[in-house]
Amino acid sequence: MEKIKVIIWGFGAMGKGMAKMLLLKKGVEITGVCDLNPEYIGKNFLDIISMDVDHPTVYVQSDIDFLLNQTKADVVLLCTDSFVKGAFDKIKKIVSHKMNCISTAEEMAYPHANEPVLAKQIDHLAKAFGVTVLGTGINPGFIMDLLVVALTGTMVDVEHIEAKRVNSLSPFGPTVMHEQGVGISLNDYHKRIMDNELAGHVGFKESIQMISDALGVKLDDFQQQMEPIVTNVDRKSTYGEANAGSLAGINMTGQGLVNGSVFIDMIHPQQIEPEMEGTQTGDYINLKGIPNINMAITPEIDGGIGTIAMCVNMIPHVINARPGLKTMIDLPVPRAILGDMRDLIEQDDK
Amino acid sequence: MEKIKVIIWGFGAMGKGMAKMLLLKKGVEITGVCDLNPEYIGKNFLDIISMDVDHPTVYVQSDIDFLLNQTKADVVLLCTDSFVKGAFDKIKKIVSHKMNCISTAEEMAYPHANEPVLAKQIDHLAKAFGVTVLGTGINPGFIMDLLVVALTGTMVDVEHIEAKRVNSLSPFGPTVMHEQGVGISLNDYHKRIMDNELAGHVGFKESIQMISDALGVKLDDFQQQMEPIVTNVDRKSTYGEANAGSLAGINMTGQGLVNGSVFIDMIHPQQIEPEMEGTQTGDYINLKGIPNINMAITPEIDGGIGTIAMCVNMIPHVINARPGLKTMIDLPVPRAILGDMRDLIEQDDK
């Protein structure tokens, strides 16, 4: 059997991380890389990520149509967008070339939540072309949704769900510092909120809808809030700096309501150097019901590595799946791939 | 759509628990109960479990052939055995009646581990009759295998796996007290070991094989050990009593080796009243690799409730699955069912 062939579309931190990970795996090869960065176009992707391994040369292309027409691939890793609207036309292109697609777009983790019409279109297109589309990542995609769902599998009844991800932004670069308002004053924070220029975490609606659909619960309402995390001490990370009185980050909270009261509660404060004011980072899931379950992962699972790993590790599941738009609750559990990736492909199916 | 129809075969603690749970769920009904207990035969199962709910009368039958011939069912919950050898003929009967089967037998969680020939036969039979067979439970089935596998899905590489389940036997009845040697002397312990009369936990081989197959790792060896937990203080639970110097329970350990060193490490001490000597119960998964992951669930997920919930919650997944013998790593993640169970059945498939 030939190696599994992968195209990476979007060669930022996520795309590069996936390339590095794929180069460590057996039975898989990268056949194309697409990015618009003028510093990358025409260069061998191996040189960009400084990997000296035995792998065919692949030059970064800026023209995706040319690339998709000329290149064989089983799956395209789409690492370009956060929202379904932005990813939609790209997914359409990929699917029309009869290639499976895994997207890092946060909204794609459960596109039915914010874009039900586009989600239906993606599903129809994927079925028409006989391929599978999946959105995944560490969160949404695992910590605050799939892992919650899996733990409820051991429960007779569920009364209340709390998912809390307390993480450090310190490892992240300038883009994230800007997106999360690290170092800005309270005034600037309020101005950017007014101008709709502070996204914070994208994914609560997706995670909450994924959980409620998985459990068969009808939500009457979804709401979310954003609050500044103002530091009392001077904090500094590699790319971020927040003086006392300015923002160390943002606390996002969200709720899914059933019969007027909160059934799903999400808490997700993100900041640089949380330990400086005694915040212990971690992923926490607290389920009330029969039985109660209290889970803690400390420290939190690294968001960057986790998203890279989830996308690569889901490749065989996506190739094996029936055609259509899938989400993490439709497919078998993700798993690390330590052997030959081809051994995980079901030969008789699809 | 008609309600999902379930037969329960084996009306001990697990079977009764599943009946109670099913009675709380929507879109499902119990159409048959089989047990050999003379006190149950001919009685309405609702009276045996003292449930006063709106559900058709079902009399406990001792003749399974008669029951399977006369009764419509989508799935049989088989709650009778621990080992594949004991469950095999029963599964054969169920499958030949074109009914799906969920078994609580620990070895059935991954029958390829100890009974590869029988596993293959079950797979062939299930495919021939167009139904699905699954073994599941809290452990094996979730804590020390499926949950481990799922967490590795967020990892780029895995170097070492440790799964530790520290649980209390205090809620359990006389059978478990006897099986786990609670209250016996060290001499009696050694005698029962010699006579091969102390089973301890069944499932390490299944859990370890499930993990290694999921990750694509080839094990060179599997080994397990049993050690008595001798109490220094007098301990007492509802059904168990262990005086100082006698056994409070048993500590099982197991290892899966790759290239001569331990890759998967299992630790599972079970005892009554562990808190009396400062043991904190819980489920712990520690993964070394990229990244490291340290997960704790405290206290441990209740074994009885967990097994009952897993079997019932997997009913829709088993009905939806392609025919054959499946394990937890083949199917979508388990989840609590809070809505109508029929809503989870895929109409177009199978």
Side-chain angles (χ1 to χ4, degrees), chain B residues 173-195:
Chain B
T175 316
V176 170
M177 294 304 128
H178 178 75
E179 281 171 4
Q180 299 287 335
V182 172
I184 66 175
S185 67
L186 262 177
N187 276 346
D188 285 350
Y189 167 79
H190 290 298
K191 194 176 170 316
R192 283 179 62 185
I193 292 280
M194 295 279 284
D195 298 345

Side-chain angles (χ1 to χ4, degrees), chain A residues 266-322:
Chain A
M266 302 250 153
I267 303 150
H268 189 17
Q270 304 195 80
Q271 59 197 293
I272 58 164
E273 302 296 298
E275 302 79 10
M276 286 188 68
E277 291 193 69
T279 299
Q280 162 76 59
T281 63
D283 295 311
Y284 307 94
I285 296 172
N286 296 304
L287 307 174
K288 282 197 185 127
I290 306 171
N292 293 334
I293 296 180
N294 302 301
M295 189 222 71
I297 296 173
T298 47
E300 83 279 16
I301 300 183
D302 186 287
I305 300 174
T307 295
I308 288 163
M310 287 290 288
C311 290
V312 170
N313 288 332
M314 289 305 289
I315 291 174
H317 287 341
V318 165
I319 293 176
N320 289 333
R322 296 170 185 163

